[in-house]
């Protein structure tokens, strides 16, 4: 017998998850609707599997989630959401082996594989979760090859500033900024200012409210 706590406030998804889990008559399924209720259930069932949509629950941040997981170290967690940030995924995955990650738009086979994995007390990461982690790591590695000056110029380009404007702000010549620009494009493997905008957003150099449309 395995005990599960479904912590998902999206009614349709919760219904689907509960029915999937109840296909095995030996499973016992509980519901949690907020963080307090989840902790109460974990106190009673410390080795339960928590199936959680973090984005729809009342966690202040991932630190609260990690603290609860550490407190109930016998529990396993399957995070299932529409969207999770790369930073969040990396943080929870690198902090604890208790967490598996799948997405709601993925095939049901991934959820089944995740359930089978946690039943063996092993971790499962969906293909999308793996790609998200790898992509961010590659972008961080790429960012690290840019100098501080080059990162500042990428940000300025993304904000819609011309080469002349960037040169004036930096008290540099247009030729110097043009050279930086060429080096940046070469290092990042991009060809246009539009690609620089996308890169700056992905790398966290600017947020969506800053860039030039």
């Amino acid at each position: 017998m395995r005990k599960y706590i479904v912590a998902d406030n999206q009614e349709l998804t919760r219904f689907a998850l509960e029915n999937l889990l109840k296909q095995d008559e030996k499973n016992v399924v509980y519901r949690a609707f907020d963080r307090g209720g989840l902790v109460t259930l974990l106190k009673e069932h410390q080795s339960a599997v928590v199936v959680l949509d973090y984005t729809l629950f009342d966690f202040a941040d991932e630190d609260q989630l990690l603290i609860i997981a550490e407190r109930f170290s016998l529990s396993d967690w399957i995070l299932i959401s529409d969207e999770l940030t790369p930073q969040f995924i990396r943080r929870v995955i690198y902090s604890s082996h208790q967490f598996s990650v799948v997405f709601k738009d993925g095939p049901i086979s991934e959820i089944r594989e995740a359930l089978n994995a946690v039943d063996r007390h092993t971790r499962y990461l969906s293909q999308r979760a793996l790609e998200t982690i790898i992509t961010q790591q590659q972008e961080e590695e790429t960012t690290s090859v840019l100098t501080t000056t080059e990162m500042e110029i990428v940000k300025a380009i993304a904000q819609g500033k011309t080469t002349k404007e960037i040169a004036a702000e930096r008290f540099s010549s247009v030729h110097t900024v043009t050279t930086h620009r060429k080096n940046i494009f070469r290092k990042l493997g991009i060809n246009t200012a539009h690609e620089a905008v996308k890169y700056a957003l992905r790398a966290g150099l600017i947020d969506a409210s800053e860039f030039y449309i």
Side-chain angles (χ1 to χ4, degrees), residues 87 130 168:
Q87 293 83 0
L130 285 170

Side-chain angles (χ1 to χ4, degrees), residues 51-167:
V51 186
L52 169 72
D53 186 338
Y54 171 84
T55 61
L56 297 181
F57 244 58
D58 58 339
F59 287 97
D61 52 34
E62 60 262 35
D63 286 331
Q64 282 190 341
L65 175 62
L66 291 169
I67 288 168
I68 292 174
E70 183 178 3
R71 178 180 174 187
F72 300 101
S73 59
L74 297 178
S75 63
D76 291 296
W77 298 66
I78 299 176
L79 302 179
I80 176 170
S81 299
D82 288 318
E83 195 68 43
L84 293 169
T85 66
Q87 293 83 0
F88 172 85
I89 295 174
R90 288 187 64 184
R91 175 81 190 283
V92 297
I93 291 303
Y94 292 162
S95 297
S96 172
H97 286 278
Q98 291 170 260
F99 291 97
S100 296
V101 180
V102 295
F103 289 91
K104 289 184 177 179
D105 63 356
I108 194 169
S109 61
E110 289 190 337
I111 298 175
R112 293 184 187 277
E113 288 173 18
L115 291 170
N116 289 334
V118 297
D119 197 44
R120 301 188 301 271
H121 298 288
T122 59
R123 178 159 63 190
Y124 178 84
L125 298 178
S126 70
Q127 184 65 31
R128 179 178 165 191
L130 285 170
E131 289 173 354
T132 298
I133 294 170
I134 292 169
T135 298
Q136 190 196 28
Q137 184 173 339
Q138 290 173 338
E139 287 170 355
E140 288 177 351
E141 289 171 354
T142 302
T143 301
S144 67
V145 305
L146 297 181
T147 66
T148 301
T149 296
E150 287 169 343
M151 285 191 286
E152 290 172 353
I153 290 174
V154 168
K155 181 174 181 178
I157 292 170
Q159 291 172 330
K161 295 175 182 176
T162 66
T163 301
K164 187 175 180 179
E165 289 170 335
I166 297 170

